[in-house]
Amino acid sequence: MLGNMMFQPLLISSMIEHAGRYHSDTLIISKNTDLSITETNWGKVRNNSKRFANVLNSLGAKLGDRIATIAWNNHRHLESWYAISGSGMVCHTINPRLFPEQLVFIINDANDKVILFDKTFLPLIKAVKPMLKSVEHFICLDAPDAAVKEQVPDVQFYDDLIAQHSEQFAWPEFDELTASSLCYTSGTTGNPKGVLYSHRSTVLHSYGICMPDSLNISARDIMLPVVPMFHVNAWGTPYAAAMVGCTMVLPGPGLDGVSLANMIDTYKVSVALGVPTIWQGLINAAQQSGTKLESLKRNVVGGSACPPAMMKVFKEQFDCETIHAWGMTETSPLGTSCQFKAKHQHLSDEEKLQIRLSQGRPPFGVDLRITDEEKSTHEIERDGKTSGNLQIKGHWIIQNYFGKAESALTADGWFDTGDIATLNEDGYLKISDRSKDLIKSGGEWISSVELENMAMGHPKIAMAAVIAAIHPKWDERPVLIAIKKPDADLSEIEILGYYADKVAKWQIPDKVIFVDSIPLSGTGKMLKKDLREQYGNVLLNS
Ligand code: AMP
C-alpha cells in the first residue's frame, strides 16, 4: 500500500521560488569584477533568474542543454545558475585556473551551447574560442562594454539581455532525476572527468548541509562563500542559502585576506567557507590590521586538512569555531563535518581539539566504510586506528562519470574515494593519506603522474617521482625526486625550465632533489609513501 501524501519532484526552481517568496528582502551583497559592490536581495535574484530563463529560451536552449559559466562568486552568476537549472538545463561551472587545453577539452566534452563569463576571463575566452566546437553564444556577465565587444565581436551582455525580457516565467516541471549541474574533476592522468548532479541530489544535499550538525546554516546567517562557485558548486552553499533564506556576501575576485577581512567586518559575516590557503591569508590580514572579525562565529574548512595551528588561532584570537569538513566533487561535496556529540561537552579543550582535527562524521544521507584493499569490498574495523580505503554511498554520491556508461562504483555499490582514512566507532573520519596520485595545492589539483611522465621525457633523467610535500601556504606543493642518467650534467634550474612550456606555471615543482635510487615495491612500483616520509617536509623550512 502506498502512502497518501502529495508527491512533488525535488527541483532547484522550488528553492529560488521559496527564497523569492519568503526571504524577498534578505540581502545579497556582491562584489563585481571592477570591485564595486551591488546590493540586491532574494526577491530581485529570483526575478532576474526568471528574466534570464526567458533569455535562454529565446536563444533556443533546450532541456538538457549544457550552459557553461566561467565566473566569480557574484549576483549575476547566482541568478544565471537558478535560471539554467530551474529551466531544466545543465549549469556547467568551469574552473578558469585550468590549463587552456583542458578548458577546451571540457567545453567540447560537455558540448556546451552557451558560455557566460566574467570580464576578468575575457583573455581566456579569446584564446580558446577558435577551438570550441559547440558554443553558439557568448554572454559577458556585465553591462555592455565596447572594449569587450571589440575583442569578441559576437558577444552579448547579460544586463542588456535581462533588461529585454520579462520576469514572468513559469518554471517547468520535470523528473527530479534530471541533470542540473556539471563539474569536472582532475584525473590522475589524462583528461578531467565530469560529475553530473541531479535536481534530487542537489536538493537533498542542501538539506544535508544546513543541518545543525553539518554547517548549521539558518535564516539568521550572513554567509560568505569564499570557495568558488566553480569548485563543487561552492560546496552547495548557493542552494542551501536559498533554502534557508540567509544573506549571502559574494566576494567576486576579492579573495585576498585584506578584501575578505573588510567584507566580513563591513557586512557582519557570521559564517565563511573556504580552503585552508584562504584562511591563512585572512589570519595574516586580520593580525596586521588588528580587527577581531567580531561577527564571524564559524568558518568551514575543507578541501584539504585543516592545520591544528590554524584552528587554534581562529578560536583563541578570533573566538571563531572552525568546522572541519571533508568531501569531494564526486560527493556534491559534503561527506562529513566535524561537530561534537552531547558526550563530548565535558571534555577538556585539548581533547576537544583532537576531535575537531578529525574530518568529522557523516550527516544522515551518506554512509562511510573503510576497506582493506584498493576497490575491495571487505570492510575493516571502525576502531579509529586501522586505516584503509575510504568508501562512501548515499543520496548525493556519484554513480558514473559524465558520458561514461560504466559504473564508478565497487561491485557492491560504494564509491572508492582514493583517500586513506580511519573511522572510529562514532563515525568520526580521519584522513591519513591519499592513494590517488594527486597533489592539492591551494585547493587546485596537480597530477604527480603527469609531472613524472614529463620528467621521464627529459633526455638526462633516468627515473622520476613527484610527491606532495607539505607547504605552509599552499598545503601541498610538488617536489620532483629524480635519478640522473649516468654521467648526465643536469641542474635543478634546467629541469624546472624544461617544465615551463608544458604545464601551467603554478603546477611546476617547487624543488628538485637528485638521488641515486628510488625505493621500489616487489612489483616494481615506486614507493611514493616512503618518499613522502623521507622528503615530505623539505619545503617547511625553506
Ligand atoms: P575535490 O574533488 O577537488 O573537491 O577534492 C576532494 C579531495 O580533497 C578528497 O578526496 C581529499 O583527498 C581532499 N580533501 C577534501 N577535504 C579534505 C579535508 N578536510 N582533509 C583532508 N583532505 C581533504
Side-chain angles (χ1 to χ4, degrees):
M1 200 190 336
L2 295 178
N4 290 340
M5 309 308 282
M6 271 186 207
F7 172 79
Q8 289 187 327
L10 300 171
L11 298 180
I12 287 173
S13 53
S14 63
M15 297 160 112
I16 191 64
E17 272 308 311
H18 173 85
R21 178 164 301 159
Y22 297 106
H23 303 280
S24 180
D25 63 351
T26 298
L27 287 181
I28 306 291
I29 314 284
S30 168
K31 190 175 266 186
N32 299 307
T33 49
D34 63 2
L35 306 184
S36 64
I37 297 282
T38 297
E39 280 196 21
T40 176
N41 57 39
W42 279 117
K44 291 184 192 159
V45 168
R46 188 258 320 261
N47 294 348
N48 280 347
S49 73
K50 291 184 155 194
R51 288 177 196 272
F52 196 63
N54 279 320
V55 171
L56 289 170
N57 271 342
S58 75
L59 297 177
K62 303 256 169 339
L63 198 81
D65 277 350
R66 268 76 73 196
I67 312 293
T69 66
I70 309 184
W72 301 114
N73 295 6
N74 59 46
H75 66 290
R76 293 182 181 94
H77 197 183
L78 182 67
E79 292 165 3
S80 61
W81 262 31
Y82 278 104
I84 296 166
S85 303
S87 44
M89 295 150 203
V90 178
C91 182
H92 173 203
T93 49
I94 297 179
N95 182 348
R97 294 176 191 135
L98 291 177
F99 207 42
E101 279 152 29
Q102 283 188 324
L103 220 93
V104 170
F105 168 81
I106 63 169
I107 295 172
N108 289 338
D109 187 60
N111 216 5
D112 292 327
K113 189 157 187 178
V114 181
I115 294 188
L116 313 179
F117 64 97
D118 272 335
K119 256 192 223 170
T120 317
F121 307 115
L122 181 63
L124 208 62
I125 295 289
K126 235 186 112 186
V128 300
K129 196 168 179 259
M131 274 88 79
L132 304 182
K133 298 190 182 127
S134 53
V135 182
E136 293 169 15
H137 304 281
F138 291 86
I139 299 175
C140 178
L141 287 165
D142 223 310
D145 181 327
V148 176
K149 187 99 188 147
E150 203 182 298
Q151 305 211 37
V152 181
D154 55 348
V155 73
Q156 301 179 71
F157 292 93
Y158 182 85
D159 289 8
D160 246 2
L161 290 170
I162 57 167
Q164 291 160 15
H165 284 83
S166 153
E167 61 188 46
Q168 300 304 318
F169 181 82
W171 298 112
E173 198 163 291
F174 40 77
D175 190 321
E176 63 184 16
L177 296 176
T178 303
S180 59
S181 65
L182 176 65
C183 285
Y184 278 74
T185 181
S186 299
T188 306
T189 50
N191 287 314
K193 293 180 285 185
V195 179
L196 188 62
Y197 310 98
S198 70
H199 283 258
R200 176 187 159 82
S201 72
T202 304
V203 173
L204 292 176
H205 178 260
S206 308
Y207 277 120
I209 69 173
C210 292
M211 287 199 291
D213 274 5
S214 297
L215 311 185
N216 191 11
I217 304 166
S218 78
R220 292 165 296 289
D221 272 314
I222 299 176
M223 175 209 277
L224 172 74
V226 188
V227 51
M229 288 161 79
F230 55 78
H231 269 174
V232 213
N233 297 328
W235 299 346
T237 50
Y239 303 116
M243 182 178 258
V244 299
C246 70
T247 287
M248 289 188 97
V249 178
L250 300 168
L255 305 180
D256 60 288
V258 173
S259 305
L260 293 176
N262 283 338
M263 289 294 260
I264 292 170
D265 286 340
T266 309
Y267 299 106
K268 310 269 179 285
V269 167
S270 62
V271 56
L273 306 95
V275 296
T277 313
I278 289 292
W279 303 124
Q280 200 49 57
L282 176 66
I283 288 173
N284 293 345
Q287 284 173 337
Q288 271 190 0
S289 76
T291 171
K292 290 285 166 224
L293 304 173
E294 256 165 54
S295 60
L296 193 68
K297 298 287 168 271
R298 308 185 308 288
N299 69 328
V300 180
V301 183
S304 288
C306 180
M310 183 177 284
M311 219 175 249
K312 273 189 140 162
V313 169
F314 270 109
K315 181 89 190 107
E316 288 166 11
Q317 295 182 23
F318 301 99
D319 195 21
C320 170
E321 286 287 339
T322 297
I323 304 175
H324 195 190
W326 169 88
M328 53 196 306
T329 310
E330 288 88 337
T331 67
S332 292
L334 188 74
T336 62
S337 60
C338 196
Q339 300 271 9
F340 294 121
K341 294 184 168 189
K343 68 180 179 186
H344 298 137
Q345 302 284 353
H346 305 294
L347 295 179
S348 68
D349 283 352
E350 191 46 45
E351 286 167 323
K352 280 188 175 162
L353 180 66
Q354 285 317 310
I355 295 178
R356 290 172 62 215
L357 286 173
S358 81
Q359 279 78 5
R361 54 195 163 81
F364 171 75
V366 295
D367 199 3
L368 300 177
R369 73 176 182 187
I370 305 279
T371 67
D372 61 0
E373 281 167 43
E374 181 70 12
K375 299 261 175 176
S376 149
T377 58
H378 180 252
E379 186 172 350
I380 54 177
E381 259 183 279
R382 294 167 182 253
D383 59 4
K385 292 191 206 93
T386 321
S387 66
N389 302 301
L390 175 64
Q391 299 185 346
I392 185 166
K393 70 193 290 191
H395 299 300
W396 49 84
I397 311 302
I398 191 168
Q399 182 161 302
N400 50 288
Y401 287 98
F402 174 66
K404 307 265 182 283
E406 67 271 22
S407 163
L409 309 183
T410 61
D412 61 346
W414 291 70
F415 177 73
D416 192 285
T417 63
D419 287 325
I420 310 291
T422 60
L423 278 178
N424 74 11
E425 55 277 21
D426 288 327
Y428 283 84
L429 170 75
K430 187 100 181 74
I431 303 280
S432 53
D433 202 355
R434 195 179 285 143
S435 69
K436 49 195 174 201
D437 243 328
L438 290 166
I439 296 159
K440 203 161 205 190
S441 169
E444 304 283 353
W445 288 115
I446 301 173
S447 164
S448 44
V449 177
E450 277 180 8
L451 293 179
E452 277 159 15
N453 290 345
M454 284 170 196
M456 291 296 286
H458 191 284
K460 295 180 187 167
I461 289 185
M463 194 172 184
V466 172
I467 60 158
I470 301 165
H471 190 278
K473 173 159 186 214
W474 300 109
D475 308 321
E476 293 176 3
R477 289 293 304 155
V479 166
L480 171 68
I481 295 162
I483 306 177
K484 295 183 204 175
K485 285 208 174 139
D487 304 324
D489 178 19
L490 178 63
S491 68
E492 178 172 17
I493 292 178
E494 187 179 341
I495 183 75
L496 294 182
Y498 170 77
Y499 276 115
D501 60 350
K502 297 182 176 60
V503 290
K505 203 167 156 219
W506 59 271
Q507 299 187 335
I508 297 177
D510 274 22
K511 193 175 178 69
V512 181
I513 299 171
F514 292 110
V515 294
D516 294 331
S517 68
I518 288 177
L520 297 178
S521 73
T523 56
K525 277 192 185 176
M526 292 189 290
L527 290 171
K528 295 271 196 83
K529 195 161 179 273
D530 292 8
L531 289 174
R532 274 202 302 275
E533 272 162 23
Q534 197 174 349
Y535 300 109
N537 291 332
V538 290
L539 301 178
L540 285 184
N541 301 316
S542 56

